[in-house]
Amino acid sequence: MTRTEKTNRLVMIALMICLVMIATLSIRIPSPFTQGYIHLGDAMIFLSVLLLGKKGGALAAGLGSALADVLGGYAAYAPWTLLIKALMAIIMGAFIEVCIKKENHNAKIGSVPLIEIAGMILAGIEMVIGYAIVDGALAGNMISGFLGAPFNIIQFAVGLVLATILAMALYKTPAKRYFAYRLDEMR
């Protein structure tokens, strides 16, 4: 990787950290039963994995989400958010990579490969389970953690839809060359 490519990658990671943070902070709907909130940050997390791959996506997801927690008054969640959101990106990216190696990437919804959507779903499941455990532990009552799960499902489902729409739009532009998983070129 050339010095210019390294610089471009660093700039993209920084940009995605900011986009994750802004999307997380911009619209916050308090979640009953927990101290958390529903937000649009997951859409940017999913998009960061598509653009940066699992490692860069994990940096953007973990740092952007943790910064949003600190700046948004949820500092107690920040270390857990860093882990949960970074793991979300790693799971999504790893799933896509496994499917690429097995050459299972021809099916699409619109212009978005089905493996990317399936990766988002797996990542969302991890997030729901992770926050159910953390919410329960922080509240001292596991029931409240699991009562918050439906709201986390709504959050990642909305994020999945938004990320899919954004990816569909970007795949139709010259910006598609910036995606980490260029599946059309791999056929």
Side-chain angles (χ1 to χ4, degrees):
M1 188 180 289
T2 67
R3 187 174 178 176
T4 302
E5 290 170 335
K6 287 180 184 179
T7 302
N8 288 343
R9 181 160 174 78
L10 182 61
V11 168
M12 280 296 289
I13 290 170
L15 173 68
M16 291 311 298
I17 289 169
C18 291
L19 286 175
V20 169
M21 182 185 67
I22 290 168
T24 302
L25 287 172
S26 63
I27 298 174
R28 296 188 297 176
I29 301 166
S31 175
F33 310 114
T34 70
Q35 299 195 18
Y37 54 93
I38 297 172
H39 56 80
L40 301 177
D42 289 353
M44 291 300 112
I45 289 171
F46 296 144
L47 198 58
S48 70
V49 174
L50 297 179
L51 288 168
L52 301 167
K54 70 180 177 190
K55 291 178 184 175
L59 275 171
L63 292 175
S65 298
L67 280 170
D69 277 352
V70 170
L71 295 174
Y74 292 85
Y77 276 87
W80 303 110
T81 294
L82 178 75
L83 293 172
I84 290 169
K85 297 296 186 169
L87 187 56
M88 223 175 129
I90 290 168
I91 287 170
M92 180 182 165
F95 177 79
I96 293 169
E97 289 172 9
V98 166
C99 289
I100 289 171
K101 287 179 185 170
K102 293 184 177 183
E103 298 184 12
N104 292 338
H105 54 80
N106 294 329
K108 292 184 177 186
I109 293 178
S111 56
V112 178
L114 195 56
I115 63 169
E116 293 176 358
I117 294 170
M120 291 180 211
I121 292 169
L122 288 174
I125 291 168
E126 177 273 329
M127 187 264 300
V128 169
I129 293 168
Y131 277 118
I133 293 167
V134 170
D135 286 336
L138 290 177
N141 179 358
M142 290 310 290
I143 293 171
S144 67
F146 289 107
L147 289 174
F151 301 98
N152 283 324
I153 292 170
I154 291 167
Q155 176 180 297
F156 99 73
V158 169
L160 183 149
V161 170
L162 287 175
T164 301
I165 291 168
L166 288 170
M168 276 188 212
L170 289 172
Y171 282 144
K172 293 179 181 179
T173 70
K176 70 181 177 183
R177 69 181 178 184
Y178 294 110
F179 280 76
Y181 308 108
R182 293 181 207 72
L183 302 179
D184 289 340
E185 295 174 9
M186 296 178 189
R187 289 192 188 134

